[in-house]
């Protein structure tokens, strides 16, 4: 064992599409806790707005994810999840959820793909306006943006790495960032983004890269 107190470790887990639905999601979360050997998780998310083996346009997606959310509310009330949220939800999915009379808790987090080439400004603004934290994944464009001419130019000027520039941009745009790291060296390097204050011109240049270039999964069209 590491000897690190549980209170100093933030653990996130998710409900996968195969476990959508109120009872299935509840059981899956309990099973996850057992596998983790934890009494609670810090953040529990619904990974995807759709359900497995369900057509993208089927209303069963809405029914099952709303059931999953009721399970998350129960898990939080039981102290098994400190915080609850969603992932890959678009504005229609969120509007449906918060408009459900059975929903008493608004998601605390929406984990979505955000980087300079795919900024999702309207979705981020909606979340911010409803008190939902945007947590950005693929902040580095799965590595594809590390060699971008604009990014490398700004990195050189700021005496920073391209990864630090991309992460600092995300933070400046009010998104929490959760980059993967292959080594302790990369973890330390990524943390340097916290102290990197990009010039307004650099932020504008990165903003102007937005071209709707989605790299990861696309939830568009899921009813």
């Amino acid at each position: 064992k590491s000897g690190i107190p549980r209170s100093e470790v933030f653990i996130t887990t998710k409900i996968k599409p195969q476990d959508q639905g109120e009872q299935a999601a509840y059981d899956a979360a309990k099973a996850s806790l057992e596998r983790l050997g934890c009494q609670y998780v810090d953040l529990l998310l619904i990974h995807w707005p759709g359900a497995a083996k369900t057509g993208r346009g089927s209303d069963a997606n809405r029914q099952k994810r709303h059931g999953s959310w009721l399970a998350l509310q129960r898990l939080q009330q039981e102290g098994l999840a400190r915080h609850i949220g969603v992932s890959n939800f678009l504005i229609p999915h969120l509007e449906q959820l918060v408009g459900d009379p059975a929903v008493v808790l608004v998601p605390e987090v929406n984990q979505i793909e955000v980087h300079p080439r795919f900024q999702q400004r309207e979705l981020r603004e909606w979340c911010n306006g409803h008190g939902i934290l945007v947590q950005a994944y693929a902040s580095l464009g799965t590595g594809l943006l590390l060699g971008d001419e604009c990014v490398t130019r700004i990195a050189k000027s700021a005496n920073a790495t391209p990864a630090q520039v991309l992460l600092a941009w995300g933070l400046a745009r009010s998104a929490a960032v959760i980059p993967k790291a292959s080594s302790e060296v990369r973890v330390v390097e990524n943390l340097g983004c916290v102290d990197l204050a990009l010039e307004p011109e650099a932020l504008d240049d990165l903003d102007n890269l937005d071209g709707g270039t989605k790299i990861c999964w696309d939830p568009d069209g899921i009813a």
Side-chain angles (χ1 to χ4, degrees):
K1 296 189 177 182
S2 68
I4 300 173
R6 171 66 182 88
S7 60
E8 295 184 12
V9 179
F10 194 97
I11 298 176
T12 301
T13 192
K14 299 179 180 180
I15 301 299
K16 59 186 178 181
Q18 291 86 345
D19 294 321
Q20 288 274 37
E22 187 169 359
Q23 191 60 49
Y26 183 85
D27 292 343
K30 292 289 289 286
S32 182
L33 284 170
E34 186 174 347
R35 290 192 299 271
L36 288 166
C38 296
Q39 295 180 329
Y40 68 91
V41 292
D42 298 280
L43 177 61
L44 179 60
L45 303 175
I46 299 175
H47 195 181
W48 187 251
K53 298 181 180 180
T54 304
R56 293 176 74 87
S58 173
D59 189 57
N61 290 303
R62 179 190 60 79
Q63 296 172 6
K64 289 183 179 181
R65 69 172 170 265
H66 284 215
S68 297
W69 187 253
L70 297 182
L72 265 63
Q73 290 186 153
R74 177 184 169 190
L75 288 157
Q76 188 180 49
Q77 291 164 356
E78 293 176 354
L80 301 178
R82 293 284 178 87
H83 305 279
I84 54 177
V86 296
S87 181
N88 297 298
F89 275 42
L90 302 179
I91 292 176
H93 305 136
L94 294 166
E95 289 178 332
Q96 290 170 359
L97 190 64
V98 301
D100 186 335
V103 170
V104 296
L105 299 172
V106 174
E108 297 174 73
V109 175
N110 188 16
Q111 189 184 95
I112 56 175
E113 178 181 349
V114 177
H115 48 75
R117 293 286 184 184
F118 190 70
Q119 298 181 25
Q120 303 215 71
R121 299 183 193 189
E122 185 178 0
L123 176 54
R124 288 192 289 118
E125 289 174 4
W126 195 97
C127 289
N128 291 336
H130 289 78
I132 300 173
L133 173 70
V134 171
Q135 190 176 71
Y137 69 78
S139 296
L140 311 183
T142 65
L144 298 176
L145 296 181
L146 295 176
D148 183 275
E149 184 277 329
C150 177
V151 174
T152 56
R153 172 175 53 79
I154 292 171
K156 183 177 180 180
S157 175
N159 193 28
T161 68
Q164 289 171 341
V165 167
L166 291 164
L167 296 172
W169 173 85
L171 293 175
R173 294 301 176 246
S174 301
V177 292
I178 48 171
K180 290 182 178 180
S182 58
S183 67
E184 183 178 350
V185 172
R186 293 297 186 208
V187 172
V188 173
E189 175 189 314
N190 290 340
L191 285 171
C193 71
V194 176
D195 298 318
L196 177 59
L198 296 174
E199 296 293 335
E201 295 80 4
L203 290 170
D204 289 343
D205 287 346
L206 292 167
D207 286 342
N208 290 333
L209 292 179
D210 193 11
T213 306
K214 186 163 184 57
I215 297 173
C216 302
W217 314 275
D218 190 356
D220 190 33
I222 295 179

